[in-house]
Amino acid sequence: MSRYVLPLSVLGTAVGGAVLLKDFVSGGACPSKATIPGKTVIVTGANTGIGKQTALELAKRGGNIILACRDMEKYEAAAKEIRGETLNHRVNARHLDLASLKSIREFAVKVTEEEEHVHILINNAAVMRCPHWTTEDGFEMQLGVNYLGHFLLTNLLLDKLKASAPSRIINVSSLAHVAGHIDFEDLNWEKRKYDTKAAYCQSKLAIVLSTKELSRRLQGTGVTVNALHPGVARTELGRHTGMHSSAFSSFTLVS
Ligand SMILES: NC(=O)c1ccc[n+]([C@@H]2O[C@H](COP(=O)([O-])OP(=O)(O)OC[C@H]3O[C@@H](n4cnc5c(N)ncnc54)[C@H](OP(=O)(O)O)[C@@H]3O)[C@@H](O)[C@H]2O)c1
């Protein structure tokens, strides 16, 4: 019997540790029962992952939801699925490619002309640890999409958000920002060897810093802005790394 004690206690500790880890990384559940009837919400990158789940939850709560996404097939499918699940027919998709300043401008013009209000802007879309790609306008892809694209979008919609106050902007960052460093001399990684992880961290730190400054500038306008780390969830974010498809991730991360 005693020869089983050690292996069993090691197994017990490993299973217990994994359960605690899963609990820790998945974060807390939102206890709010608030509803948002009549509120117009834009969620970027809402065809999958955290953005889609956010859009679904806000649709359940009665919002007028705009999925702002780059792939028409994916966003039409996501909008249809959310409408079907929530029976909220005010869920629609619009084209937005954050790697194109032209696309961002076109999206903002349409929203400004066609929507009476924008109460909530959720800047969620991101690309993580992709190869050294550049956006249509020549910016390093992770900084370009995660930070610069959302920066332009926010500024183009700011008058609408102010006119719709009380309103809010939510910038989805990441705990990765703590490892971030912004190299103002070489934002686009043209002078250094490209480090895909550091580029992601730089983009997430840029989001946190600009959120703080925007928050200061928006005081007294009725528009609030916050940045957040969403916890760790099994999504398509690791598509360039293979990380999220490992057996360890499949067990540890929540869907
Ligand atoms: N999952 C996590 O554990 C975790 C942890 C910390 C922070 N976050 C943050 O949470 C947010 C959501 O991530 P996720 O995990 O849900 O990732 P995801 O499943 O990969 O979703 C990312 C979304 O961003 C969109 N996107 C990428 N490039 C775009 C572009 N150029 N224009 C418009 N949309 C674009 C994607 O669209 P396509 O499908 O068309 O590519 C997709 O809808 C991100 O800001 C991420 O950094 C996630």
Side-chain angles (χ1 to χ4, degrees):
M1 176 67 192
S2 62
R3 69 193 163 111
Y4 296 116
V5 171
L6 185 62
L8 280 175
S9 64
V10 169
L11 183 67
T13 307
V15 171
V19 169
L20 286 175
L21 181 63
K22 185 181 175 104
D23 202 42
F24 175 70
V25 297
S26 56
C30 173
S32 170
K33 299 267 185 275
T35 56
I36 52 164
K39 299 281 182 194
T40 298
V41 184
I42 297 173
V43 187
T44 69
N47 56 280
T48 187
I50 292 169
K52 185 177 172 192
Q53 205 54 41
T54 303
L56 175 77
E57 188 57 41
L58 294 175
K60 276 186 198 161
R61 292 165 189 252
N64 166 25
I65 314 293
I66 300 169
L67 314 184
C69 311
R70 64 176 167 169
D71 183 314
M72 200 170 143
E73 239 173 72
K74 290 192 201 171
Y75 66 60
E76 288 299 356
K80 194 172 165 201
E81 195 184 318
I82 296 174
R83 282 194 297 267
E85 196 169 321
T86 61
L87 301 181
N88 178 345
H89 289 277
R90 293 178 312 277
V91 177
N92 292 294
R94 282 179 188 272
H95 184 260
L96 170 69
D97 182 355
L98 287 155
S100 159
L101 299 184
K102 181 170 171 274
S103 170
I104 298 166
R105 289 201 169 96
E106 284 170 0
F107 174 87
V109 165
K110 277 198 184 142
V111 166
T112 306
E113 284 174 1
E114 293 171 20
E115 299 297 328
E116 200 182 340
H117 298 290
V118 174
H119 300 99
I120 306 175
L121 170 63
I122 305 182
N123 291 318
N124 160 81
V127 58
M128 182 179 83
R129 299 188 63 180
C130 57
H132 195 181
W133 293 337
T134 51
T135 67
E136 196 175 281
D137 308 280
F139 301 118
E140 183 278 320
M141 185 63 77
Q142 299 185 77
L143 189 73
V145 169
N146 304 355
Y147 170 61
L148 294 172
H150 282 128
F151 178 86
L152 177 61
L153 177 66
T154 302
N155 277 282
L156 293 175
L157 295 179
L158 214 44
D159 285 342
K160 192 64 131 181
L161 283 151
K162 284 180 185 167
S164 311
S167 55
R168 61 176 63 216
I169 303 160
I170 298 167
N171 293 328
V172 181
S173 179
S174 167
L175 196 56
H177 82 274
V178 299
H181 166 74
I182 299 188
D183 187 339
F184 288 101
E185 302 303 316
D186 189 20
L187 286 173
N188 287 313
W189 295 84
E190 284 154 347
K191 300 177 190 158
R192 298 163 287 160
K193 184 171 180 299
Y194 189 58
D195 180 335
T196 184
K197 191 170 161 189
Y200 180 71
C201 295
Q202 170 177 257
S203 74
K204 290 297 174 178
L205 177 59
I207 291 171
V208 172
L209 297 178
S210 80
T211 302
K212 276 181 168 255
E213 176 58 19
L214 184 58
S215 156
R216 195 184 63 78
R217 292 186 187 201
L218 287 177
Q219 270 171 24
T221 63
V223 186
T224 59
V225 55
N226 290 281
L228 62 89
H229 165 66
V232 182
R234 189 168 69 239
T235 64
E236 294 177 32
L237 191 63
R239 64 181 91 175
H240 300 295
T241 66
M243 205 164 77
H244 285 38
S245 54
S246 71
F248 173 78
S249 300
S250 300
F251 175 75
T252 315
L253 305 180
V254 284
S255 305

PDB file of all heavy atoms in Angstrom, residues 23 32 65 67 73 89-91 96 107 118 130 142 144 148-149 154 166 186 194 199:
ATOM      1  N   ASP A  23      -8.710  27.853 -12.638  1.00  0.00           N
ATOM      2  CA  ASP A  23      -9.566  28.804 -11.952  1.00  0.00           C
ATOM      3  C   ASP A  23      -8.951  30.205 -11.964  1.00  0.00           C
ATOM      4  O   ASP A  23      -9.621  31.194 -12.231  1.00  0.00           O
ATOM      5  CB  ASP A  23      -9.727  28.315 -10.498  1.00  0.00           C
ATOM      6  CG  ASP A  23     -10.974  28.893  -9.888  1.00  0.00           C
ATOM      7  OD1 ASP A  23     -11.993  28.933 -10.593  1.00  0.00           O
ATOM      8  OD2 ASP A  23     -10.914  29.327  -8.723  1.00  0.00           O
ATOM      9  N   SER A  32     -23.052  41.248 -12.940  1.00  0.00           N
ATOM     10  CA  SER A  32     -24.032  42.293 -13.247  1.00  0.00           C
ATOM     11  C   SER A  32     -25.219  41.755 -14.041  1.00  0.00           C
ATOM     12  O   SER A  32     -25.060  40.971 -14.974  1.00  0.00           O
ATOM     13  CB  SER A  32     -23.364  43.410 -14.056  1.00  0.00           C
ATOM     14  OG  SER A  32     -24.352  44.284 -14.532  1.00  0.00           O
ATOM     15  N   ILE A  65     -26.201  46.258 -31.487  1.00  0.00           N
ATOM     16  CA  ILE A  65     -24.788  45.865 -31.571  1.00  0.00           C
ATOM     17  C   ILE A  65     -24.260  45.945 -32.999  1.00  0.00           C
ATOM     18  O   ILE A  65     -24.870  45.419 -33.930  1.00  0.00           O
ATOM     19  CB  ILE A  65     -24.586  44.406 -31.061  1.00  0.00           C
ATOM     20  CG1 ILE A  65     -25.337  44.160 -29.739  1.00  0.00           C
ATOM     21  CG2 ILE A  65     -23.104  44.076 -30.941  1.00  0.00           C
ATOM     22  CD1 ILE A  65     -24.822  44.911 -28.556  1.00  0.00           C
ATOM     23  N   LEU A  67     -21.049  44.728 -35.080  1.00  0.00           N
ATOM     24  CA  LEU A  67     -19.819  43.941 -35.120  1.00  0.00           C
ATOM     25  C   LEU A  67     -18.924  44.585 -36.171  1.00  0.00           C
ATOM     26  O   LEU A  67     -19.293  44.640 -37.345  1.00  0.00           O
ATOM     27  CB  LEU A  67     -20.100  42.492 -35.510  1.00  0.00           C
ATOM     28  CG  LEU A  67     -21.264  41.737 -34.838  1.00  0.00           C
ATOM     29  CD1 LEU A  67     -21.279  40.291 -35.311  1.00  0.00           C
ATOM     30  CD2 LEU A  67     -21.146  41.773 -33.335  1.00  0.00           C
ATOM     31  N   GLU A  73     -17.471  37.211 -44.743  1.00  0.00           N
ATOM     32  CA  GLU A  73     -18.106  35.909 -44.526  1.00  0.00           C
ATOM     33  C   GLU A  73     -18.200  35.598 -43.037  1.00  0.00           C
ATOM     34  O   GLU A  73     -19.231  35.163 -42.527  1.00  0.00           O
ATOM     35  CB  GLU A  73     -17.275  34.825 -45.207  1.00  0.00           C
ATOM     36  CG  GLU A  73     -18.044  34.055 -46.249  1.00  0.00           C
ATOM     37  CD  GLU A  73     -17.152  33.126 -47.016  1.00  0.00           C
ATOM     38  OE1 GLU A  73     -16.728  32.116 -46.438  1.00  0.00           O
ATOM     39  OE2 GLU A  73     -16.870  33.434 -48.185  1.00  0.00           O
ATOM     40  N   HIS A  89     -32.674  41.371 -32.910  1.00  0.00           N
ATOM     41  CA  HIS A  89     -32.452  41.597 -34.343  1.00  0.00           C
ATOM     42  C   HIS A  89     -31.673  42.871 -34.620  1.00  0.00           C
ATOM     43  O   HIS A  89     -31.355  43.168 -35.770  1.00  0.00           O
ATOM     44  CB  HIS A  89     -33.786  41.549 -35.098  1.00  0.00           C
ATOM     45  CG  HIS A  89     -34.295  40.136 -35.145  1.00  0.00           C
ATOM     46  ND1 HIS A  89     -33.865  39.227 -36.082  1.00  0.00           N
ATOM     47  CD2 HIS A  89     -35.116  39.452 -34.299  1.00  0.00           C
ATOM     48  CE1 HIS A  89     -34.414  38.050 -35.842  1.00  0.00           C
ATOM     49  NE2 HIS A  89     -35.189  38.168 -34.758  1.00  0.00           N
ATOM     50  N   ARG A  90     -31.320  43.569 -33.561  1.00  0.00           N
ATOM     51  CA  ARG A  90     -30.501  44.766 -33.760  1.00  0.00           C
ATOM     52  C   ARG A  90     -29.013  44.426 -33.621  1.00  0.00           C
ATOM     53  O   ARG A  90     -28.265  45.114 -32.931  1.00  0.00           O
ATOM     54  CB  ARG A  90     -30.928  45.854 -32.777  1.00  0.00           C
ATOM     55  CG  ARG A  90     -32.333  46.387 -33.041  1.00  0.00           C
ATOM     56  CD  ARG A  90     -32.739  47.425 -32.023  1.00  0.00           C
ATOM     57  NE  ARG A  90     -32.473  46.978 -30.669  1.00  0.00           N
ATOM     58  CZ  ARG A  90     -33.273  46.205 -29.960  1.00  0.00           C
ATOM     59  NH1 ARG A  90     -34.408  45.774 -30.475  1.00  0.00           N
ATOM     60  NH2 ARG A  90     -32.959  45.846 -28.742  1.00  0.00           N
ATOM     61  N   VAL A  91     -28.627  43.323 -34.231  1.00  0.00           N
ATOM     62  CA  VAL A  91     -27.213  42.910 -34.262  1.00  0.00           C
ATOM     63  C   VAL A  91     -26.789  42.896 -35.724  1.00  0.00           C
ATOM     64  O   VAL A  91     -27.313  42.116 -36.512  1.00  0.00           O
ATOM     65  CB  VAL A  91     -27.021  41.505 -33.648  1.00  0.00           C
ATOM     66  CG1 VAL A  91     -25.565  41.062 -33.764  1.00  0.00           C
ATOM     67  CG2 VAL A  91     -27.478  41.493 -32.188  1.00  0.00           C
ATOM     68  N   LEU A  96     -14.683  46.600 -41.249  1.00  0.00           N
ATOM     69  CA  LEU A  96     -13.618  47.444 -40.676  1.00  0.00           C
ATOM     70  C   LEU A  96     -12.322  46.648 -40.677  1.00  0.00           C
ATOM     71  O   LEU A  96     -12.203  45.620 -40.001  1.00  0.00           O
ATOM     72  CB  LEU A  96     -13.956  47.827 -39.215  1.00  0.00           C
ATOM     73  CG  LEU A  96     -12.807  48.496 -38.437  1.00  0.00           C
ATOM     74  CD1 LEU A  96     -12.518  49.897 -39.000  1.00  0.00           C
ATOM     75  CD2 LEU A  96     -13.132  48.596 -36.950  1.00  0.00           C
ATOM     76  N   PHE A 107     -15.328  53.404 -42.345  1.00  0.00           N
ATOM     77  CA  PHE A 107     -16.198  52.867 -41.297  1.00  0.00           C
ATOM     78  C   PHE A 107     -16.727  54.021 -40.433  1.00  0.00           C
ATOM     79  O   PHE A 107     -17.936  54.097 -40.152  1.00  0.00           O
ATOM     80  CB  PHE A 107     -15.400  51.872 -40.436  1.00  0.00           C
ATOM     81  CG  PHE A 107     -16.142  51.349 -39.239  1.00  0.00           C
ATOM     82  CD1 PHE A 107     -16.957  50.223 -39.343  1.00  0.00           C
ATOM     83  CD2 PHE A 107     -16.036  51.975 -37.994  1.00  0.00           C
ATOM     84  CE1 PHE A 107     -17.644  49.735 -38.240  1.00  0.00           C
ATOM     85  CE2 PHE A 107     -16.726  51.491 -36.892  1.00  0.00           C
ATOM     86  CZ  PHE A 107     -17.534  50.373 -37.017  1.00  0.00           C
ATOM     87  N   VAL A 118     -23.564  56.601 -30.528  1.00  0.00           N
ATOM     88  CA  VAL A 118     -22.649  55.499 -30.173  1.00  0.00           C
ATOM     89  C   VAL A 118     -22.398  55.662 -28.680  1.00  0.00           C
ATOM     90  O   VAL A 118     -21.793  56.643 -28.233  1.00  0.00           O
ATOM     91  CB  VAL A 118     -21.321  55.551 -30.954  1.00  0.00           C
ATOM     92  CG1 VAL A 118     -20.367  54.466 -30.435  1.00  0.00           C
ATOM     93  CG2 VAL A 118     -21.560  55.347 -32.452  1.00  0.00           C
ATOM     94  N   CYS A 130       2.416  37.844 -34.836  1.00  0.00           N
ATOM     95  CA  CYS A 130       2.466  37.480 -36.256  1.00  0.00           C
ATOM     96  C   CYS A 130       3.897  37.712 -36.776  1.00  0.00           C
ATOM     97  O   CYS A 130       4.708  38.338 -36.092  1.00  0.00           O
ATOM     98  CB  CYS A 130       1.460  38.343 -37.033  1.00  0.00           C
ATOM     99  SG  CYS A 130       1.733  40.103 -36.849  1.00  0.00           S
ATOM    100  N   GLN A 142       1.366  44.634 -35.519  1.00  0.00           N
ATOM    101  CA  GLN A 142       0.753  44.536 -34.181  1.00  0.00           C
ATOM    102  C   GLN A 142       0.497  45.934 -33.597  1.00  0.00           C
ATOM    103  O   GLN A 142      -0.573  46.185 -33.031  1.00  0.00           O
ATOM    104  CB  GLN A 142       1.636  43.699 -33.248  1.00  0.00           C
ATOM    105  CG  GLN A 142       1.801  42.268 -33.765  1.00  0.00           C
ATOM    106  CD  GLN A 142       2.561  41.374 -32.806  1.00  0.00           C
ATOM    107  OE1 GLN A 142       2.007  40.915 -31.810  1.00  0.00           O
ATOM    108  NE2 GLN A 142       3.831  41.113 -33.111  1.00  0.00           N
ATOM    109  N   GLY A 144       0.179  48.572 -35.481  1.00  0.00           N
ATOM    110  CA  GLY A 144      -0.778  49.188 -36.407  1.00  0.00           C
ATOM    111  C   GLY A 144      -2.220  48.797 -36.114  1.00  0.00           C
ATOM    112  O   GLY A 144      -3.100  49.662 -36.055  1.00  0.00           O
ATOM    113  N   LEU A 148      -2.589  51.674 -33.183  1.00  0.00           N
ATOM    114  CA  LEU A 148      -2.797  52.842 -34.055  1.00  0.00           C
ATOM    115  C   LEU A 148      -4.180  52.833 -34.711  1.00  0.00           C
ATOM    116  O   LEU A 148      -4.841  53.878 -34.783  1.00  0.00           O
ATOM    117  CB  LEU A 148      -1.708  52.896 -35.136  1.00  0.00           C
ATOM    118  CG  LEU A 148      -0.279  53.149 -34.618  1.00  0.00           C
ATOM    119  CD1 LEU A 148       0.733  52.981 -35.748  1.00  0.00           C
ATOM    120  CD2 LEU A 148      -0.166  54.549 -34.017  1.00  0.00           C
ATOM    121  N   GLY A 149      -4.617  51.679 -35.174  1.00  0.00           N
ATOM    122  CA  GLY A 149      -5.933  51.585 -35.824  1.00  0.00           C
ATOM    123  C   GLY A 149      -7.041  51.992 -34.870  1.00  0.00           C
ATOM    124  O   GLY A 149      -7.934  52.781 -35.221  1.00  0.00           O
ATOM    125  N   THR A 154     -11.067  55.642 -32.551  1.00  0.00           N
ATOM    126  CA  THR A 154     -11.590  56.334 -31.364  1.00  0.00           C
ATOM    127  C   THR A 154     -11.694  57.833 -31.611  1.00  0.00           C
ATOM    128  O   THR A 154     -12.711  58.463 -31.300  1.00  0.00           O
ATOM    129  CB  THR A 154     -10.662  56.058 -30.152  1.00  0.00           C
ATOM    130  OG1 THR A 154     -10.597  54.653 -29.960  1.00  0.00           O
ATOM    131  CG2 THR A 154     -11.170  56.728 -28.887  1.00  0.00           C
ATOM    132  N   PRO A 166     -24.130  59.916 -21.353  1.00  0.00           N
ATOM    133  CA  PRO A 166     -22.961  59.189 -20.858  1.00  0.00           C
ATOM    134  C   PRO A 166     -22.581  58.023 -21.768  1.00  0.00           C
ATOM    135  O   PRO A 166     -23.432  57.231 -22.143  1.00  0.00           O
ATOM    136  CB  PRO A 166     -23.412  58.680 -19.485  1.00  0.00           C
ATOM    137  CG  PRO A 166     -24.906  58.604 -19.578  1.00  0.00           C
ATOM    138  CD  PRO A 166     -25.325  59.687 -20.522  1.00  0.00           C
ATOM    139  N   ASP A 186      12.211  53.678 -32.983  1.00  0.00           N
ATOM    140  CA  ASP A 186      12.049  52.602 -33.966  1.00  0.00           C
ATOM    141  C   ASP A 186      10.721  51.871 -33.732  1.00  0.00           C
ATOM    142  O   ASP A 186      10.687  50.657 -33.527  1.00  0.00           O
ATOM    143  CB  ASP A 186      13.242  51.629 -33.832  1.00  0.00           C
ATOM    144  CG  ASP A 186      13.267  50.601 -34.951  1.00  0.00           C
ATOM    145  OD1 ASP A 186      12.633  50.845 -35.996  1.00  0.00           O
ATOM    146  OD2 ASP A 186      13.913  49.549 -34.773  1.00  0.00           O
ATOM    147  N   TYR A 194      13.474  41.978 -35.625  1.00  0.00           N
ATOM    148  CA  TYR A 194      12.074  41.920 -35.181  1.00  0.00           C
ATOM    149  C   TYR A 194      11.885  40.879 -34.090  1.00  0.00           C
ATOM    150  O   TYR A 194      12.295  39.729 -34.240  1.00  0.00           O
ATOM    151  CB  TYR A 194      11.171  41.589 -36.372  1.00  0.00           C
ATOM    152  CG  TYR A 194       9.699  41.707 -36.068  1.00  0.00           C
ATOM    153  CD1 TYR A 194       9.151  42.907 -35.622  1.00  0.00           C
ATOM    154  CD2 TYR A 194       8.839  40.625 -36.239  1.00  0.00           C
ATOM    155  CE1 TYR A 194       7.802  43.019 -35.356  1.00  0.00           C
ATOM    156  CE2 TYR A 194       7.478  40.730 -35.983  1.00  0.00           C
ATOM    157  CZ  TYR A 194       6.961  41.938 -35.532  1.00  0.00           C
ATOM    158  OH  TYR A 194       5.616  42.054 -35.264  1.00  0.00           O
ATOM    159  N   ALA A 199       6.988  43.042 -29.790  1.00  0.00           N
ATOM    160  CA  ALA A 199       6.123  43.928 -30.584  1.00  0.00           C
ATOM    161  C   ALA A 199       4.684  43.874 -30.063  1.00  0.00           C
ATOM    162  O   ALA A 199       3.988  44.895 -30.012  1.00  0.00           O
ATOM    163  CB  ALA A 199       6.175  43.532 -32.055  1.00  0.00           C
TER     164      ALA A 199
END
